[in-house]
């Protein structure tokens, strides 16, 4: 057993910042010019998720086993719909399903999709199939949240992996139980959406920000003549088009408008994989970091105590425990005023900090208000 205790000591020098200094600092942040379509979407124009349940056939003995009940029930139902009557003495126990697998199908119905359009589908095994490589998905209806059928899926699967088993040895790559069918579903029902009856349009920002919303409304009023636009809140901008306006043409002009955005400083941390992504606009305050560790190793060994010959003793298993503690000296990092993220990363690499150590240091810096960024932990 290995126990590691990390210690962090942060000494922060936080100067008093006036409102004028804050405005000057905000003005010094580099702006980024983007199109409206890259940072916002039109309310009501959205994708819709579809889901279905079906069977994949044509596998090479890698399908569901007889211990999974619902693939057998699906097979019996499919045969009955096709007019195949099973013998009276036939039971599910006598049926073999190694060449088929029960699967769930997921797809996304894009806006303005019409009957006859084709969409991609993703197929995933729902039972204990080892692989669905080389399988063929039989015709499966895809349902929307309202329970209506919006598409029909069918076709051969395309996998990005494989699984091979021989003589008890198994070799697999990626996920052989999930595949895709490009253009594997045909739209049967359209989602009604008529733009001609929309008297008001609303834009929704992907990342809510009052400044971006206000600047977007100003840019739309200036660059799209005759249009009234105003920011309702940090995410929503309402647009009132002229009475004789062509809505698709108006939206095309609105989405091509370029605005200046000031994205938030953000640090993204994935504790599961030890990944740390630090944005370029992250600011650091003067800070001193003392980072050290106490490592405690507890080692347990089992030894067999054998009694002497002709003695009345018995064989016993004795546990031997050894405890070893190592107190590492604390490493110091000092970041002066004006330090950048590159300076922080360079100092952390010099002291040999691991990804886990960097995550702990960033969290402590955020608590000490030395990291001017939004810390997002995935």
């Amino acid at each position: 057993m290995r126990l590691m205790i990390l210690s962090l000591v942060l000494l922060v020098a936080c100067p008093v910042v006036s409102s004028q200094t804050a405005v000057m600092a905000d003005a010094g942040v580099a702006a980024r010019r983007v199109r409206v379509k890259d940072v916002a979407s039109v309310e009501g124009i959205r994708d819709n998720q579809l889901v279905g349940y079906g069977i994949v056939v044509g596998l090479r003995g890698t399908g569901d086993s007889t211990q999974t009940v619902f693939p057998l029930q699906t097979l019996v139902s499919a045969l009955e719909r096709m007019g195949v009557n099973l013998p009276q003495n036939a039971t599910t126990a006598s049926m073999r399903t190694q060449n088929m697998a029960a699967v769930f199908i997921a797809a996304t119905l894009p806006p303005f999709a019409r009957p006859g359009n084709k969409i991609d589908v993703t197929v995933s095994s729902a039972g204990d199939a080892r692989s669905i490589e080389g399988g063929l998905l039989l015709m499966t209806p895809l349902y929307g949240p309202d329970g209506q059928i919006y598409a029909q899926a069918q076709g051969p699967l395309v996998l990005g992996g494989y699984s091979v088993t021989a003589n008890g040895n198994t070799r697999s790559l990626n996920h052989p139980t999930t595949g895709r069918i490009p253009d594997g579903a045909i739209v049967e029902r359209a989602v009604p959406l008529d733009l001609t009856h929309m008297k008001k349009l609303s834009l929704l920002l992907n990342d809510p920000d009052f400044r971006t919303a206000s600047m977007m409304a100003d840019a739309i009023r200036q660059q799209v003549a005759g249009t009234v636009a105003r920011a309702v809140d940090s995410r929503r901008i309402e647009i009132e088009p002229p009475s004789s306006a062509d809505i698709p043409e108006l939206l095309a002009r609105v989405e091509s408008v370029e605005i200046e955005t000031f994205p938030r400083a953000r640090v993204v941390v994935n504790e599961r994989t030890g990944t740390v992504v630090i944005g370029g606009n992250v600011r650091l305050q003067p800070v001193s970091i003392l980072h050290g560790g106490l490592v405690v190793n507890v080692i347990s060994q089992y030894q067999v105590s054998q009694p002497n010959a002709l003695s009345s003793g018995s064989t016993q298993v004795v546990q031997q425990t050894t405890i070893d503690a190592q107190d590492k000296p604390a490493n110091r990092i000092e970041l002066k005023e004006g330090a950048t993220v590159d300076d922080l990363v360079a100092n952390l690499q010099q002291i040999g900090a691991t990804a886990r150590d960097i995550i702990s240091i960033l969290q402590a810096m955020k608590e000490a208000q030395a990291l001017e960024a939004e810390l997002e932990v995935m």
Side-chain angles (χ1 to χ4, degrees):
M1 181 175 64
R2 182 181 178 90
L3 175 64
M4 178 174 288
I5 304 174
L6 298 177
S7 60
L8 286 175
V9 179
L10 277 75
L11 304 177
V12 185
C14 297
V16 178
V17 181
S18 63
S19 59
Q20 183 178 1
T21 305
V23 173
M24 293 176 60
D26 186 63
V29 178
R32 184 181 63 180
R33 293 193 64 84
V34 297
R35 295 175 301 177
V36 170
K37 65 185 302 181
D38 296 327
V39 294
S41 59
V42 182
E43 185 179 12
I45 302 178
R46 43 160 289 180
D47 297 332
N48 292 276
Q49 295 180 339
L50 306 178
V51 66
Y53 171 80
I55 57 175
V56 170
V57 298
L59 306 180
R60 295 181 297 179
T62 59
D64 294 327
S65 64
T66 55
Q67 297 178 353
T68 308
V69 179
F70 52 89
L72 297 173
Q73 297 176 347
T74 305
L75 178 60
V76 172
S77 300
L79 293 176
E80 290 178 351
R81 288 197 304 268
M82 295 181 181
V84 179
N85 296 323
L86 296 177
Q88 296 294 334
N89 57 354
T91 60
T92 57
S94 62
M95 301 176 65
R96 297 292 181 264
T97 59
Q98 285 82 1
N99 290 345
M100 62 162 286
V103 293
F104 277 104
I105 301 95
T108 300
L109 184 65
F112 307 113
R114 296 293 183 236
N117 293 144
K118 295 182 178 181
I119 57 177
D120 300 340
V121 297
T122 302
V123 182
S124 300
S125 173
D128 57 356
R130 299 193 306 272
S131 174
I132 57 175
E133 180 184 4
L136 173 68
L137 175 68
L138 297 184
M139 184 178 295
T140 304
L142 301 181
Y143 300 88
D146 55 357
Q148 300 292 329
I149 298 177
Y150 285 89
Q152 294 280 352
Q154 181 173 278
L157 301 178
V158 177
L159 270 70
Y162 63 87
S163 177
V164 179
T165 302
N167 298 326
N169 299 321
T170 302
R171 180 177 178 83
S172 61
L173 176 66
N174 296 336
H175 296 278
T177 55
T178 299
R180 288 181 61 83
I181 307 178
D183 294 337
I186 299 178
V187 178
E188 302 291 344
R189 182 195 299 266
V191 178
L193 180 60
D194 190 0
L195 296 179
T196 59
H197 294 83
M198 299 179 66
K199 298 182 179 180
K200 282 188 178 181
L201 301 174
S202 296
L203 297 178
L204 301 178
L205 289 175
N206 301 332
D207 191 7
D209 183 72
F210 283 102
R211 183 176 184 181
T212 303
S214 178
M215 295 180 64
M216 183 178 295
D218 293 340
I220 292 174
R221 287 195 300 266
Q222 294 175 6
Q223 300 184 31
V224 182
T227 301
V228 178
R230 66 185 185 92
V232 178
D233 48 37
S234 62
R235 185 182 290 272
R236 185 177 180 182
I237 299 95
E238 284 190 351
I239 301 175
E240 296 183 7
S243 57
S244 59
D246 186 356
I247 301 300
E249 182 183 357
L250 176 65
L251 287 176
R253 296 172 58 189
V254 169
E255 289 184 339
S256 62
V257 172
E258 291 189 356
I259 61 172
E260 290 186 350
T261 61
F262 297 84
R264 294 182 180 180
R266 182 171 298 176
V267 177
V268 181
V269 173
N270 190 336
E271 290 189 330
R272 296 186 299 273
T273 60
T275 303
V276 179
V277 179
I278 304 176
N281 55 350
V282 175
R283 297 178 180 177
L284 304 175
Q285 290 291 339
V287 62
S288 295
I289 304 173
L290 299 179
H291 177 69
L294 175 63
V295 180
V296 180
N297 293 326
V298 181
I299 303 174
S300 297
Q301 296 179 348
Y302 294 91
Q303 298 179 354
V304 178
S305 177
Q306 186 70 26
N308 296 327
L310 303 178
S311 65
S312 59
S314 60
T315 303
Q316 299 290 334
V317 178
V318 181
Q319 180 180 356
Q320 301 290 337
T321 303
T322 305
I323 301 177
D324 181 20
Q326 298 179 357
D327 192 4
K328 297 181 180 180
N331 297 308
R332 181 178 179 181
I333 299 175
E334 184 174 356
L335 300 176
K336 299 182 179 180
E337 187 173 359
T340 62
V341 176
D342 293 337
D343 298 332
L344 174 62
V345 174
N347 282 275
L348 292 175
Q349 290 178 343
Q350 287 181 359
I351 67 174
T354 63
R356 306 293 179 183
D357 297 338
I358 295 176
I359 292 174
S360 301
I361 292 173
L362 290 175
Q363 290 177 344
M365 291 179 64
K366 179 63 176 179
E367 294 294 328
Q369 299 181 359
L371 180 66
E372 294 184 356
E374 179 181 349
L375 185 61
E376 180 178 348
V377 180
M378 300 177 60

